[in-house]
Amino acid sequence: MTEKIELWDVLDENGNLTGETVERGQPLKVGDYHLVVNIWIRNSKGEYLIQKRADNLEKWPGLWAATGGAVIKGESSLEAALREVKEELGISFEPHMLKKVRRFKLKHALSDMWMVCHDVDLTDVVIQKEEVNEVKYAAVDEIMRMIDKSEFLDYSKDCICLLKEEQCNE
């Protein structure tokens, strides 16, 4: 079985397409970015559905994180967010259920933070075993403790603070 090559659109620092693409794993030039998404699924108790990354992953194996991944060539940020949740957790959301909270600029990536307010029953989650070991709900304070203990992907403090500030319209 041949491995599928994943292509990413190259963006400038303002998120505009440059017309170039890059293959996953290839270095980007200075000033070039690719787009990634992270999706925070919040239940009515204010807890977030988090996932433990598979131990065999190249980046951040075994760490807890939000659902997320890279936006592929030709895909919008919203389309990528919906795809990642479906692929990794087996959950489908309608596009209007997702709210884009903020875009963060990282070294070579622009990271869109999405939020979904929905009570997902953990028994309905079908994890993609190549990517995810397990899932659970955690409050923001627990996520902060997990970050301090290097058990959770170290999102920026601004990102985690937004989790406390964002409200669901329920």
Side-chain angles (χ1 to χ4, degrees), residues 21 80 110 169:
T21 58
L110 300 175
N169 298 327

PDB file of all heavy atoms in Angstrom, residues 21 80 110 169:
ATOM      1  N   THR A  21       2.088  25.346  -3.135  1.00  0.00           N
ATOM      2  CA  THR A  21       1.730  24.246  -2.227  1.00  0.00           C
ATOM      3  C   THR A  21       3.021  23.640  -1.695  1.00  0.00           C
ATOM      4  O   THR A  21       4.101  23.829  -2.267  1.00  0.00           O
ATOM      5  CB  THR A  21       0.911  23.141  -2.935  1.00  0.00           C
ATOM      6  OG1 THR A  21       1.664  22.627  -4.026  1.00  0.00           O
ATOM      7  CG2 THR A  21      -0.431  23.659  -3.420  1.00  0.00           C
ATOM      8  N   ALA A  80     -11.902  21.709   7.113  1.00  0.00           N
ATOM      9  CA  ALA A  80     -10.883  20.902   7.792  1.00  0.00           C
ATOM     10  C   ALA A  80     -11.325  20.565   9.212  1.00  0.00           C
ATOM     11  O   ALA A  80     -11.135  19.434   9.677  1.00  0.00           O
ATOM     12  CB  ALA A  80      -9.549  21.638   7.821  1.00  0.00           C
ATOM     13  N   LEU A 110      -0.494  29.003  10.725  1.00  0.00           N
ATOM     14  CA  LEU A 110      -1.590  29.807  11.247  1.00  0.00           C
ATOM     15  C   LEU A 110      -2.563  28.791  11.820  1.00  0.00           C
ATOM     16  O   LEU A 110      -2.918  27.811  11.149  1.00  0.00           O
ATOM     17  CB  LEU A 110      -2.239  30.632  10.135  1.00  0.00           C
ATOM     18  CG  LEU A 110      -1.301  31.616   9.439  1.00  0.00           C
ATOM     19  CD1 LEU A 110      -2.019  32.302   8.275  1.00  0.00           C
ATOM     20  CD2 LEU A 110      -0.759  32.647  10.414  1.00  0.00           C
ATOM     21  N   ASN A 169     -24.165  29.577  23.575  1.00  0.00           N
ATOM     22  CA  ASN A 169     -25.517  30.127  23.563  1.00  0.00           C
ATOM     23  C   ASN A 169     -26.516  28.964  23.635  1.00  0.00           C
ATOM     24  O   ASN A 169     -26.930  28.452  22.618  1.00  0.00           O
ATOM     25  CB  ASN A 169     -25.759  30.943  22.292  1.00  0.00           C
ATOM     26  CG  ASN A 169     -24.818  32.128  22.219  1.00  0.00           C
ATOM     27  OD1 ASN A 169     -24.464  32.696  23.243  1.00  0.00           O
ATOM     28  ND2 ASN A 169     -24.414  32.497  21.019  1.00  0.00           N
TER      29      ASN A 169
END
